Amino acid sequence: MIAMVITGGRTSYYLIKELKKKNIKVVLIDKSKNCFSRNEADKFYQISCTNFQKIFKIAKSLKPNFFVAYTSNMNVHKVVSKISNILKKKYVSLKDLEIISCKKKQKKFYNHYKISTPSKINLKNKVKFPIIFKSNHGVGSYGVQIINSLTQLKRHKEKNNIKGFYEEFIKGSLYHIDGLSSDNNYKILQIVKKKIKSYNGIPLTHGYEILNQKNKTHIMNIVKNEIKKIFCNLKIKRNFWGVDFIIKDNKAYFIEFGILHDCMIDRLYNFSNINIYNLYISLLNGKIIPKIINKLNNLKFGKLDFLYSNKNGFLLNQ
């Protein structure tokens, strides 16, 4: 069996190690000849991970059984989706990736399916502060800015060169749901509370906390209908996905969704002795491992105080 892995950075390293444990040959694509995971691959091609023509030529020749793109770069996923479609392999569709990769399109998706989301701000009307600016494209907190006054708004409009939109700022608790989609169904794996700190008005995640069963049940009762709407209308196949939402006064406001995990949350699962990479590889091949899913569902407690930390939450040098 052959897996073609697109991108060979640090995030792909543990996944490639798991592929090798299963005696799956790894063909690695990365633009850097010194990429972190190069020595783990059976074959390496120094190619830009968004070069569709060259990657397709190699894929057509080697005929990999499946593709792996363990990256937040949506342009890489679009290349994999296009190649997968031609070679009749299952992957997230280009149409859905266009929605996933654009916060503005996600906002339209939420409104179309009547899923509660923070309201967009029309700057021609009287503005009630604070508000928040979000970029159309980009992952995490790229381009995000909390604005607390008219003076800050004027300064932001003068200096900002990123395309995006303004919306109301909901002051509540931020949560994240991890799940997976097989060929015909979706499953929720875990719910975590995100720890956020604001740096110069930019909200950044610095940790996660797994909820106890009582709190999980409470949150799920609030969001289960909206989660169903999202994943019955997005045709994600054989992939992990995640959803961010804010809870305020027992009401959910959906912020964004994406494929794979939230930033480095796989580290939290590893600390809990859950082989998330094994689950992902099986999912890419059209199978799921109930034992791992049950273990994820039954996690009673766990937290990570920094995104790059050891089991005790101490920051590691990367």
Side-chain angles (χ1 to χ4, degrees):
M1 187 173 280
I2 300 173
M4 179 173 279
V5 180
I6 319 293
T7 72
R10 186 182 293 271
T11 55
S12 298
Y13 177 78
Y14 296 106
L15 188 61
I16 292 173
K17 293 280 281 187
E18 191 64 32
L19 287 165
K20 298 298 292 179
K21 283 182 189 176
K22 294 177 175 293
N23 294 317
I24 297 173
K25 291 185 177 180
V26 174
V27 177
L28 180 61
I29 307 289
D30 198 279
K31 66 179 180 181
S32 172
K33 65 180 180 180
N34 298 315
C35 66
F36 192 85
S37 302
R38 177 173 179 170
N39 291 338
E40 301 300 322
D42 295 285
K43 286 188 178 182
F44 173 75
Y45 294 88
Q46 187 181 357
I47 300 171
S48 167
C49 296
T50 56
N51 189 324
F52 166 77
Q53 294 294 343
K54 288 186 177 180
I55 296 174
F56 176 67
K57 185 177 180 180
I58 295 167
K60 192 175 179 181
S61 172
L62 297 180
K63 297 179 173 57
N65 298 86
F66 60 96
F67 297 89
V68 182
Y70 210 66
T71 174
S72 60
N73 188 329
M74 285 295 111
N75 290 325
V76 174
H77 288 286
K78 288 175 184 179
V79 168
V80 176
S81 178
K82 191 174 178 181
I83 294 173
S84 297
N85 184 55
I86 295 171
L87 299 180
K88 303 190 184 308
K89 305 289 183 182
K90 303 268 184 163
Y91 206 73
V92 186
S93 72
L94 274 174
K95 180 182 176 182
D96 286 337
L97 284 172
E98 289 295 339
I99 298 172
I100 291 167
S101 64
C102 179
K103 293 185 178 74
K104 186 176 181 179
K105 289 181 180 179
Q106 287 193 26
K107 181 70 71 176
K108 288 182 179 179
F109 176 91
Y110 286 141
N111 290 329
H112 178 77
Y113 290 105
K114 295 181 170 52
I115 297 167
S116 182
T117 186
S119 300
K120 286 182 72 174
I121 298 294
N122 186 343
L123 297 182
K124 293 180 181 179
N125 300 329
K126 185 177 180 180
V127 176
K128 184 178 179 181
F129 295 97
I131 61 175
I132 190 165
F133 176 83
K134 292 183 178 178
S135 62
N136 288 342
H137 299 279
V139 297
S141 296
Y142 172 78
V144 177
Q145 183 71 48
I146 299 171
I147 299 166
N148 292 295
S149 66
L150 187 59
T151 301
Q152 287 184 7
L153 176 60
K154 288 179 179 177
R155 190 182 305 128
H156 185 266
K157 288 172 67 179
E158 288 171 0
K159 294 184 177 181
N160 177 58
N161 58 3
I162 300 171
K163 290 184 178 180
F165 56 92
Y166 297 92
E167 68 178 23
E168 63 176 328
F169 178 76
I170 306 292
K171 191 173 182 179
S173 297
L174 182 60
Y175 294 90
H176 177 84
I177 288 181
D178 271 326
L180 63 79
S181 290
S182 58
D183 287 339
N184 302 307
N185 202 0
Y186 71 90
K187 291 182 181 293
I188 290 170
L189 300 176
Q190 188 53 254
I191 306 174
V192 297
K193 186 174 183 178
K194 298 180 76 167
K195 299 179 179 182
I196 304 295
K197 283 186 178 178
S198 180
Y199 296 89
N200 298 319
I202 303 171
L204 297 173
T205 303
H206 74 92
Y208 304 96
E209 183 173 346
I210 293 171
L211 306 180
N212 62 38
Q213 194 56 51
K214 181 180 178 181
N215 287 335
K216 283 181 190 177
T217 301
H218 175 68
I219 297 299
M220 277 309 304
N221 286 337
I222 295 173
V223 302
K224 61 184 178 183
N225 291 334
E226 283 76 11
I227 294 293
K228 184 177 180 180
K229 285 181 187 178
I230 292 171
F231 292 101
C232 285
N233 291 291
L234 277 181
K235 306 305 180 185
I236 294 176
K237 303 288 186 184
R238 299 189 184 186
N239 221 312
F240 288 143
W241 49 259
V243 183
D244 280 356
F245 55 91
I246 294 170
I247 298 285
K248 182 182 180 182
D249 299 329
N250 286 324
K251 181 177 179 180
Y253 299 86
F254 283 78
I255 306 301
E256 62 180 312
F257 50 79
I259 54 175
L260 295 175
H261 294 299
D262 207 33
C263 179
M264 292 307 234
I265 203 169
D266 54 340
R267 184 177 291 261
L268 174 60
Y269 297 145
N270 279 343
F271 290 168
S272 302
N273 296 315
I274 291 173
N275 193 334
I276 201 71
Y277 308 111
N278 189 11
L279 179 60
Y280 187 51
I281 292 165
S282 69
L283 182 61
L284 290 171
N285 283 288
K287 301 175 184 177
I288 56 175
I289 305 174
K291 186 177 179 180
I292 298 179
I293 292 174
N294 291 337
K295 197 171 180 181
L296 269 166
N297 286 332
N298 293 326
L299 276 180
K300 292 182 171 58
F301 178 77
K303 64 181 179 180
L304 193 61
D305 290 331
F306 299 98
L307 294 181
Y308 298 92
S309 67
N310 63 16
K311 290 186 179 182
N312 296 316
F314 294 114
L315 191 63
L316 296 176
N317 293 321
Q318 295 291 310

